[in-house]
Amino acid sequence: MLWTSIDIDEGAATALAERLGLSKVTAELLVQRGITTTEAAEQFLRPRLAQLDNPFEMVNLEAAVERIEQAIEGKESVVIFGDYDVDGVTSTVQLVSMLRTLDLEPRYSVPRRMEEGYGLSRAAIDRIFDGAIPQLFIALDCGTNAHEPIAYLRGLGIDVIVVDHHQTKTQAPEDCIFVNPHVNDAEEAPWRDLCTAGLVFKLLHGLLKHRREAEDPRVEGIQLKDYLDLVAMGTVADLVPLHGENRILSWFGLRHLRANGRSGIRALAEVSGIDSGQEMASCDISFKIAPRINASGRLADASLPIELLLIEDYPECKQIAEELDEMNKERQSIERGIAKNAEERAAVEFADEPGIVLFGDDWHPGVVGIVASRVSRHFHKPCVILGSEGEEAKGSGRSVASVNLVEVFQRCAHLLGHWGGHPMAAGVSLQACDVAAFTQCYLESLKQLYPDGLPEPSLSISAWLQPADLGEALLDELDRLHPFGQGNPEPVFGLKGVVLEEFPQAFGEGNFRFRMPANASSRRGVAGIAWRLGEPPAAGQPIDMAVRFSWNYWRDNRYPQVTLVDWKPSIL
């Protein structure tokens, strides 16, 4: 893998460090993010909720608020339909919670993945209604491309609100109140990159503003900030860019994850092995909380995590959290088997191709998205993994930097049934008999869109350090840059000529532990770990290392730890 250094304005970094009393490393990281002025740096390092824009500036949001108010005043029958991932679940929980406070008892549901597939469908609508037709139907994190289901709802005389952030494949849905800044709003709008959990938070903000203006006594005790934990979960898990309003919402939301004491989150944290005394980080959502919420939607009914986050009884929450944990273990076991088979096939069948499409008639469609991520990273190619469901092949695509899956799928739309998602991740279904034709179209589309081939995989080194720099003072400053994620990547530091004094200890499949050499900041040397990197380096030989640097929590204590991203022998 090619290592590259990020070029920055050294003078701007030096000036910023002096003005704000920061280390040169932290100032360099800010400048890399386009932050060069004192004002911009202070806004980034000290986000404020007051920096959020007026929700009613978003196209159609006020119309959605007014229609929901009509339902509240008329005590109408309301159905809320979310998606089965973390964004959809947390969006649904937010709106259901608020409407319950306002004396509505909406029905809620998400698709049953194995029976109804992805998004809004007539089958899901009929199941939820079961003969009881509501007056208002609200679709969250889906609906942008659901033209036929929306027409079906309107034919039944039902008003429809869609709150979504997915890109449209053809045109915006008609005859409904449609809130989607990716489709409706200006490209420079600061809320344009919000996921649905963030959009629903804006919707609730607008609803509260109207209700307070109407002097509704039911909203007197509502603290909007109490919903921020849910917003952070959806925002981080859905991989939207963590800048602008997303940064503000996730920054505060991570602090509220523990502060507000939501019983379901406490139970999830406990079964996930998150120490009770540690601060929540974005990686805790990505690798611990989110997989357990998603496991239910992948293997069973995603209404379970919605119930978990709505109820307050801790013993009941703990029971549901343990169920989700067991589902996640089952998901991991299924995923490992499919991933091994998929990687072996990809190495043979797509060695000389720009992309990968693999179909297994015994692969579970609920876990193929995770497998696609793993295979895509391993081969650095956009990858589609498909499982079997009757006569259909259903699955997920995952991409690599600079390859837009939406553009690729659009060229193959004539072969696809239902599909949708983001440039980096999308769900797809098609007839199993069309998989071969789709594979050919997919590969040809990649060649046409990227005639010079895909870019060589590279690793950006954020800054070069000395081992002595790896101390608690640097970690304290890095904490101010959190949360890390899309648009605000966790820095990768380079170290040259490191000589390990002890041989690394291997464990698991390609993993190993090691210890950095002792220095002035750490008499024993900072602990290190590597995941899936294969053969470890030898002790006593100088190597160059690319590492991430963070706190590791263990038994209510924390200590500095490096995570090895890549290494190579030093060139003397």
Side-chain angles (χ1 to χ4, degrees), residues 97-108:
S97 298
M98 178 67 80
L99 293 186
R100 284 179 173 178
T101 303
L102 296 169
D103 296 333
L104 274 186
E105 192 58 47
R107 286 179 281 164
Y108 61 85

Side-chain angles (χ1 to χ4, degrees), residues 8-19 24 27 31 35-37:
I8 64 162
D9 184 335
E10 292 286 346
T14 301
L16 202 59
E18 292 174 353
R19 289 197 301 268
K24 181 70 179 303
V31 172
I35 299 168
T36 58
T37 67

Side-chain angles (χ1 to χ4, degrees), residues 16 20 22 25-49 51 241-252 255 476-491:
L16 202 59
L20 294 174
L22 298 171
V25 172
T26 303
E28 288 177 357
L29 297 176
L30 289 171
V31 172
Q32 288 171 17
R33 286 153 175 76
I35 299 168
T36 58
T37 67
T38 302
E39 181 183 7
E42 288 180 343
Q43 284 186 355
F44 185 87
L45 297 172
R46 299 181 182 85
R48 293 181 296 115
L49 290 172
Q51 295 166 352
L242 296 182
H243 50 61
E245 293 204 349
N246 276 331
R247 172 166 174 76
I248 297 169
L249 292 171
S250 56
W251 193 92
F252 281 98
R255 284 150 180 78
D476 287 338
E477 287 201 353
L478 291 179
D479 283 346
R480 300 176 67 185
L481 304 182
H482 283 264
F484 295 129
Q486 294 293 316
N488 184 37
E490 183 175 3

Side-chain angles (χ1 to χ4, degrees), residues 8 19 45 147 166 228 327 434 450 475 505 520 546 549 552 564:
I8 64 162
R19 289 197 301 268
L45 297 172
H147 300 282
H166 293 98
L228 285 168
M327 288 182 193
D434 289 333
Y450 306 95
L475 282 179
Q505 297 178 328
F549 188 40
N552 187 43
L564 187 62

Side-chain angles (χ1 to χ4, degrees), residues 154-199:
R154 295 295 293 132
L156 294 172
I158 304 167
D159 287 343
V160 178
I161 298 173
V162 172
V163 182
D164 193 11
H165 72 123
H166 293 98
Q167 297 182 12
T168 180
K169 292 179 287 190
T170 53
Q171 60 186 26
E174 299 174 347
D175 204 18
C176 68
I177 299 173
F178 180 54
V179 178
N180 184 332
H182 261 295
V183 178
N184 296 334
D185 295 65
E187 192 168 337
E188 65 274 10
W191 51 81
R192 194 168 188 268
D193 287 327
L194 292 177
C195 66
T196 305
L199 297 176

Side-chain angles (χ1 to χ4, degrees), residues 45-65:
L45 297 172
R46 299 181 182 85
R48 293 181 296 115
L49 290 172
Q51 295 166 352
L52 296 174
D53 286 83
N54 180 353
F56 294 131
E57 292 184 19
M58 188 182 300
V59 174
N60 292 335
L61 189 134
E62 189 157 20
V65 166

Side-chain angles (χ1 to χ4, degrees), residues 312-328:
E312 297 180 0
D313 181 70
Y314 187 75
E316 188 176 355
C317 286
K318 185 68 182 301
Q319 181 179 344
I320 294 175
E322 288 172 348
E323 285 184 57
L324 295 176
D325 190 49
E326 287 302 314
M327 288 182 193
N328 190 50

